[in-house]
Amino acid sequence: MGQYATESLNGMYEEVHGFVDDLEAGLNVVSGINKDYKHIILAGMGASAIGGAVYRDSMYYSCPVDVSVAKTMALPAWVGDDTLFVACSYSGNTFETIELYNKAMGMGIDTVVVTYGGELERLAHENGNILVKIGGEKIQPRSAIGWFIGIVGGIIEDAGGPGIRYQLRRMLPWLQASMEHMELDDSYTHWIADEVTKECCSSGARIPVVYGTPDMDAVAVRLKNQLNENSKLIAFSGVMPEFNHNEIVGWYEDSHRELFLPIILRDYMDKDICKLVDSTVEVMKKKGLSPIVVDIKGDTLLERMVYSIMFGDHLSFFVAVNRNVDPLNVDPITDIKRTIRSKMER
């Protein structure tokens, strides 16, 4: 059976544990891009978009190419010959991504498709787009984050961005060692999972609210998403220090605040932001709250974001283990997709 109680838990462990190998494999995929662009728009939902969001945030200060992530059903009016559109969908059947792909094709924008298969693969062949295939055995779409980070990083580099492949390859041994530490029984990751699942009141376990500092917004969303899907929990995310101008009031005054657990991803390399976060944590503790602070490791912002994703994926898995839930089941998403398609086709 494996080291966990169910086949589902063992299956998800293999997917989470495979992150570094998937990242390395994604870095070895040829992008097929041989032209520089001024703008790159990455379209995707869930994990398929997080890879783009990592580069949007980590290269905001230094990349000569403007990288943005589209989650709407339309493209901006400024797209043109200097824009590369990248459709990211592991399944290849994501409704919103296919809709944006069709709009990009209608506008004549250079387009790349990143997928494991499905309708997008068929459309890419039909329309003569560059097709970048995700390899390996089929896994949960959200577990393909390593593939997306590696492949999208190569696309951005080849489209005029910095040497992302070199940066990521340098960190692979360190990421592997960090993952092995996260998986120890006495790791901080396990401890936080225990805190998340600890019964604190008559309502049972608390609802996690994940906060990232500004550069950690995308990875805070990723952790929230993983707690939703892997751990089968309601969870929310937000940004600090924006928190200090609105949400802090709720944490002070709401009589139901004991039902929630704040988890703060702190980028300790940003000293000014750290001072603001530390002040906020101090005030929260004085009000009887127990925020959990995770110092994100890594020498560069890209390293810290990739580390955070790996940390959060393991945390969500250990919460699933503690709760003995089925991390592979996503029937609610399937139900919603089926309903959306039926309404859109009317």
Side-chain angles (χ1 to χ4, degrees):
M1 171 70 75
Q3 60 180 314
Y4 296 103
T6 66
E7 183 178 345
S8 176
L9 286 169
N10 284 302
M12 181 52 71
Y13 169 73
E14 292 299 323
E15 294 187 9
V16 170
H17 183 75
F19 172 80
V20 178
D21 290 338
D22 292 346
L23 174 58
E24 183 174 17
L27 289 170
N28 293 328
V29 175
V30 176
S31 77
I33 306 295
N34 54 16
K35 174 184 173 182
D36 288 353
Y37 293 87
K38 185 177 180 181
H39 305 285
I40 300 176
I41 299 180
L42 297 116
M45 303 298 290
S48 299
I50 291 294
V54 164
Y55 295 113
R56 176 199 63 197
D57 294 350
S58 67
M59 302 193 306
Y60 174 78
Y61 307 100
S62 58
C63 184
V65 182
D66 171 51
V67 178
S68 58
V69 176
K71 287 179 172 288
T72 63
M73 301 290 281
L75 291 171
W78 49 257
V79 300
D81 292 341
D82 58 359
T83 303
L84 176 65
F85 178 81
V86 185
C88 297
S89 170
Y90 182 81
S91 69
N93 298 317
T94 305
F95 176 81
E96 296 88 346
T97 307
I98 292 174
E99 285 293 298
L100 271 181
Y101 167 88
N102 288 329
K103 288 182 169 61
M105 293 303 299
M107 299 174 73
I109 306 169
D110 287 353
T111 297
V112 176
V113 170
V114 182
T115 187
Y116 190 82
E119 177 67 5
L120 273 175
E121 180 178 9
R122 186 191 69 78
L123 288 169
H125 285 303
E126 181 179 293
N127 293 314
N129 306 125
I130 293 176
L131 174 64
V132 185
K133 287 275 290 183
I134 296 172
E137 295 184 4
K138 194 169 185 179
I139 55 179
Q140 293 290 312
R142 61 188 178 278
S143 298
I145 184 67
W147 284 97
F148 277 112
I149 292 174
I151 289 173
V152 170
I155 288 173
I156 294 172
E157 177 178 336
D158 294 343
I164 296 170
R165 291 188 185 91
Y166 173 75
Q167 295 179 51
L168 288 171
R169 287 193 175 108
R170 279 183 61 248
M171 68 177 79
L172 290 174
W174 170 72
L175 287 172
Q176 185 68 37
S178 298
M179 180 177 66
E180 292 171 2
H181 184 267
M182 290 174 192
E183 294 180 357
L184 296 175
D185 290 340
D186 61 350
S187 70
Y188 193 44
T189 323
H190 272 286
W191 180 83
I192 298 175
D194 292 342
E195 289 296 303
V196 171
T197 51
K198 182 190 299 181
E199 291 195 6
C200 66
C201 55
S202 59
S203 300
R206 288 174 289 182
I207 298 170
V209 186
V210 185
Y211 291 102
T213 47
D215 293 330
M216 293 289 141
D217 184 19
V219 295
V221 172
R222 167 68 178 186
L223 175 50
K224 186 272 295 183
N225 291 350
Q226 291 294 80
L227 289 167
N228 295 150
E229 293 193 67
N230 287 344
S231 313
K232 306 300 185 277
L233 287 175
I234 294 174
F236 302 95
S237 65
V239 183
M240 287 189 172
E242 173 72 19
F243 170 98
N244 297 337
H245 300 271
N246 35 65
E247 292 179 59
I248 186 63
V249 179
W251 285 102
Y252 258 54
E253 305 292 343
D254 195 321
S255 60
H256 298 96
R257 63 186 182 176
E258 67 175 14
L259 303 180
F260 300 86
L261 176 64
I263 301 174
I264 302 166
L265 307 178
R266 179 173 59 183
D267 185 353
Y268 69 96
M269 295 296 286
D270 191 328
K271 301 303 182 184
D272 289 335
I273 293 293
C274 263
K275 290 176 184 178
L276 293 172
V277 171
D278 291 345
S279 299
T280 304
V281 169
E282 182 179 330
V283 170
M284 293 174 78
K285 288 181 176 179
K286 287 180 180 178
K287 296 298 291 185
L289 298 167
S290 302
I292 293 174
V293 178
V294 182
D295 277 328
I296 304 306
K297 298 179 181 179
D299 293 332
T300 67
L301 179 54
L302 180 57
E303 285 184 3
R304 294 193 292 278
M305 295 190 78
V306 174
Y307 172 91
S308 299
I309 288 173
M310 188 172 69
F311 181 93
D313 286 7
H314 278 78
L315 171 58
S316 70
F317 172 72
F318 295 142
V319 171
V321 172
N322 288 354
R323 302 187 71 229
N324 195 29
V325 297
D326 179 355
L328 296 179
N329 182 278
V330 287
D331 285 347
I333 295 175
T334 303
D335 290 344
I336 288 175
K337 286 183 176 180
R338 186 183 301 115
T339 302
I340 289 172
R341 287 188 182 279
S342 67
K343 288 186 178 296
M344 296 301 290
E345 290 170 357
R346 289 176 185 173

